[in-house]
Amino acid sequence: MAYNFRNRNLLNTRGAYLGSSGSDSESQDDSDPDFLTPSRTPRRSTQNNTARAGGASSIRNLSGKRARGNGEEHRRGLRERHRRRRKRFSQVPQAQISRRTVLSWLIGSGVIEEKEVVWYVAAQSGNILGEGKVNREGILCSCCSGQLTVEEFEVHSGRKTRKPYQHIYLAGSQVSLLDCQIEAWEDKEEEERRTFNNIQPASNVDRNDDACMVCADGGDLICCERCPSTFHPRCIFMEIIPQGDWLCPYCICKYCGNGNGPLMQCSQCEKKYHFRCGGETLDLMNPPVAFCGSSCRKIYEGLHNLLGSQNELHDGLTWTLLQRTDEPFTGSYGEEEYKRIQCNSKIAVAWLVMNECFLSTVDRHTRANIVQSIVYNRGSYVTRINYSGFYTAILEKNDEIISVASIRVHGKRLAEMPFIGTRGEYRRLGMAYVLENCIESTLCSLKVEKLVIPSVSQLTGMWMDKYFFSRVQEERLVKELSLYNTVMFPSSVVRLHKNLAMLPDLNLSPQENEGHF
């Protein structure tokens, strides 16, 4: 008996699927009345009556007030009192904030009140080394009236710990900016943006997806018997319809093509494999981690070693690779925990930048916000909208995130960059070009062979002439791409690719590159 197709033309037809890769020359509207986050009711403003200690010296001691402030339980108590106190704050809508920094995100989230007094406090002595007032631009120093970034305020206070948020305190509540970051991250509205895409089937009988994994369209689809994925036979170049049960490319071993027996999933490329066919067993010291081969392990470790580390470029620019993590905070605030808190906070800011750059990109079948899900690397049981493997690359200038890109690496053969966007005032200045070069250099160092992007038709020439991409036309490459879970766009969007294996690794000297290739 031939396979029974399931027609999905009439299912879940509401919605639109919009989006494309951004650029320096891009100018898109960020409004979409069908998918807007409702704003919260503004809180009533109140005067911050912070008491100032007297004395001629600019350094005052807080050690007595903070003697018992080292434990996580004490910090939770401070955060809870701060939550109750901040209900009186006047919230500044994120749309009214011109600079996209972690500090402006805290103000826009209502966790910090604008013009609130802050102190830089020495870690050991508890002495106050600097005082200022927070605003949307940064911190206004009380001693010199200079407008400073958070890091500049720390240096101005005579310290360089590289963990300024940990040592800057709100004068009124004695809560550090680091604790404010945790509070903002745990806010209900922020938490909803990163929740698991738990899409449930409309019918208890039919649990499969309503759209093709390759083209994201409905119609006559062949369904996997093991996972919710569905496909048009033509999209996966299937010439003969199989008899009986059928397993999709994501439910079979990447080596032998068989789905029988226990299969493990690679933590990097997310393809499944039999251990007997190749790859590694589960790491019992780190249970969720397993790799289908050494190349995926090297890519995974290389990317994770980069997470949260600022890489300095020219003209005060830095770029950083981010990925949201749900690891619980221990309260130790060591190097790794501090880095995780900064990663999560900058992910929230990166989403605000992406939301400025692109129309709301909503999957018409599941109603999932695609851009938001990618930035927050949200997972799902539906393979087509499972974005757990995404990383976010950001370009910063003077503490401000000015350009953002999303990347996912599908093993050594392929990486994708579905979105890259630059804030309006920084467009036409080559910022996206700088960030894209950093991404390409990183992928080259990890031995990834190809980078694939989508492009709207009016920007295709720019991507080909300025960035040296080519159209995806070769049949072999088209077939290969159909086997990967890449983000899909409407048929009007052009897919482009670049052969990274032919590019020099910018992390190596010219002499090393000659020997490298």
Side-chain angles (χ1 to χ4, degrees):
M1 182 176 66
Y3 192 93
N4 183 26
F5 284 101
R6 305 178 197 185
N7 188 293
R8 299 171 183 274
N9 277 324
L10 303 179
L11 296 177
N12 298 321
T13 54
R14 179 181 171 228
Y17 194 74
L18 304 170
S20 64
S21 286
S23 71
D24 293 327
S25 59
E26 178 197 36
S27 178
Q28 294 197 44
D29 183 16
D30 63 348
S31 61
D32 184 357
D34 197 33
F35 198 89
L36 286 178
T37 304
S39 58
R40 292 185 288 184
T41 304
R43 303 182 178 101
R44 288 180 295 176
S45 178
T46 181
Q47 184 77 15
N48 183 5
N49 296 318
T50 304
R52 292 182 173 229
S57 174
S58 63
I59 299 179
R60 288 150 291 181
N61 194 282
L62 285 179
S63 58
K65 296 181 181 180
R66 300 178 63 247
R68 296 183 301 275
N70 295 324
E72 177 60 14
E73 184 177 345
H74 180 74
R75 282 195 288 266
R76 285 200 195 98
L78 287 176
R79 286 202 296 266
E80 183 55 38
R81 287 196 293 274
H82 181 250
R83 278 194 188 95
R84 292 196 295 268
R85 185 176 72 89
R86 76 180 176 89
K87 289 182 179 179
R88 307 192 306 268
F89 289 2
S90 175
Q91 187 179 1
V92 179
Q94 294 285 7
Q96 295 180 14
I97 296 177
S98 59
R99 298 185 79 240
R100 290 302 179 198
T101 66
V102 170
L103 193 59
S104 67
W105 168 63
L106 294 175
I107 294 172
S109 301
V111 175
I112 296 178
E113 186 175 22
E114 197 166 18
K115 297 183 180 180
E116 190 165 3
V117 175
V118 292
W119 292 330
Y120 188 91
V121 181
Q124 299 300 324
S125 65
N127 288 335
I128 300 176
L129 305 181
E131 182 179 291
K133 289 184 178 180
V134 296
N135 56 47
R136 306 177 201 184
E137 302 298 316
I139 298 177
L140 185 65
C141 180
S142 298
C143 73
C144 66
S145 299
Q147 187 69 52
L148 307 173
T149 67
V150 172
E151 291 184 358
E152 289 171 344
F153 184 65
E154 178 181 60
V155 175
H156 191 64
S157 301
R159 292 290 187 272
K160 195 172 182 180
T161 67
R162 298 190 180 276
K163 296 196 288 186
Y165 290 89
Q166 185 173 339
H167 303 292
I168 300 175
Y169 283 77
L170 303 179
S173 61
Q174 305 290 293
V175 174
S176 71
L177 293 188
L178 196 65
D179 284 313
C180 289
Q181 287 176 269
I182 295 174
E183 184 179 332
W185 184 252
E186 293 175 346
D187 184 80
K188 183 178 180 181
E189 187 174 327
E190 182 62 44
E191 187 176 353
E192 289 174 352
R193 295 191 181 107
R194 62 180 187 269
T195 54
F196 189 82
N197 276 326
N198 190 18
I199 306 298
Q200 298 295 332
S203 168
N204 291 329
V205 178
D206 189 353
R207 62 181 180 84
N208 287 88
D209 192 6
D210 296 326
C212 173
M213 274 288 303
V214 178
C215 70
D217 205 353
D220 290 332
L221 302 170
I222 184 169
C223 304
C224 179
E225 297 299 327
R226 187 170 290 174
C227 78
S229 301
T230 59
F231 300 81
H232 293 117
R234 67 178 182 276
C235 288
I236 53 176
F237 302 91
M238 181 182 287
E239 298 179 357
I240 301 175
I241 305 303
Q243 302 293 316
D245 294 348
W246 176 78
L247 297 180
C248 75
Y250 308 103
C251 292
I252 59 176
C253 174
K254 64 175 291 184
Y255 295 111
C256 70
N258 194 297
N260 297 329
L263 291 167
M264 290 180 286
Q265 186 174 35
C266 179
S267 298
Q268 178 55 49
C269 70
E270 299 185 344
K271 289 294 187 78
K272 291 185 170 63
Y273 65 95
H274 294 117
F275 174 64
R276 66 175 182 270
C277 296
E280 305 175 358
T281 57
L282 284 174
D283 184 352
L284 298 179
M285 300 299 293
N286 195 6
V289 178
F291 300 98
C292 62
S294 60
S295 61
C296 273
R297 172 177 282 279
K298 290 178 181 177
I299 291 170
Y300 181 91
E301 292 175 348
L303 292 172
H304 276 252
N305 287 337
L306 284 172
L307 285 180
S309 298
Q310 280 192 324
N311 303 278
E312 294 186 2
L313 304 170
H314 56 83
D315 300 328
L317 296 171
T318 63
W319 86 276
T320 312
L321 190 67
L322 309 172
Q323 188 179 59
R324 177 185 61 84
T325 176
D326 289 327
E327 292 182 47
F329 303 122
T330 64
S332 65
Y333 294 168
E335 190 71 32
E336 290 305 313
E337 181 151 316
Y338 184 87
K339 190 180 289 186
R340 287 204 306 272
I341 295 171
Q342 299 311 310
C343 265
N344 286 345
S345 298
K346 289 183 178 182
I347 284 286
V349 183
W351 156 241
L352 296 175
V353 173
M354 282 291 204
N355 201 34
E356 289 178 4
C357 295
F358 296 97
L359 293 169
S360 294
T361 310
V362 181
D363 181 70
R364 61 181 175 179
H365 299 280
T366 64
R367 303 301 298 160
N369 187 327
I370 303 302
V371 183
Q372 186 182 86
S373 298
I374 288 174
V375 173
Y376 284 92
N377 54 289
R378 298 167 67 176
S380 176
Y381 296 124
V382 179
T383 306
R384 186 171 56 83
I385 57 169
N386 177 19
Y387 305 111
S388 60
F390 267 98
Y391 295 81
T392 297
I394 61 171
L395 188 70
E396 293 177 274
K397 187 177 180 65
N398 296 329
D399 216 23
E400 180 182 8
I401 297 179
I402 61 177
S403 189
V404 179
S406 298
I407 58 172
R408 179 165 55 179
V409 184
H410 301 273
K412 68 176 183 179
R413 285 286 295 156
L414 176 72
E416 63 173 322
M417 186 177 68
F419 294 100
I420 181 169
T422 303
R423 299 202 69 207
E425 62 186 288
Y426 293 98
R427 289 176 185 163
R428 300 183 183 276
L429 298 177
M431 296 297 102
Y433 186 78
V434 171
L435 182 58
E436 202 261 349
N437 274 342
C438 292
I439 292 171
E440 284 188 6
S441 180
T442 299
L443 295 175
C444 283
S445 68
L446 298 174
K447 306 296 188 294
V448 178
E449 297 175 11
K450 289 187 182 297
L451 177 62
V452 176
I453 66 167
S455 173
V456 292
S457 56
Q458 59 265 36
L459 295 180
T460 300
M462 182 273 296
W463 282 110
M464 296 176 69
D465 297 337
K466 183 178 179 181
Y467 294 84
F468 308 110
F469 280 83
S470 303
R471 291 176 181 268
V472 176
Q473 293 177 324
E474 185 183 350
E475 184 177 351
R476 183 182 64 82
L477 180 57
V478 174
K479 288 183 177 180
E480 186 177 0
L481 289 177
S482 70
L483 301 177
Y484 291 95
N485 177 26
T486 57
V487 180
M488 293 310 304
F489 291 87
S491 56
S492 59
V493 173
V494 181
R495 301 194 83 182
L496 305 172
H497 76 100
K498 180 186 287 190
N499 187 357
L500 300 178
M502 302 301 294
L503 299 177
D505 183 352
L506 300 182
N507 294 309
L508 301 178
S509 67
Q511 293 79 10
E512 290 174 312
N513 269 313
E514 288 177 8
H516 187 63
F517 293 98

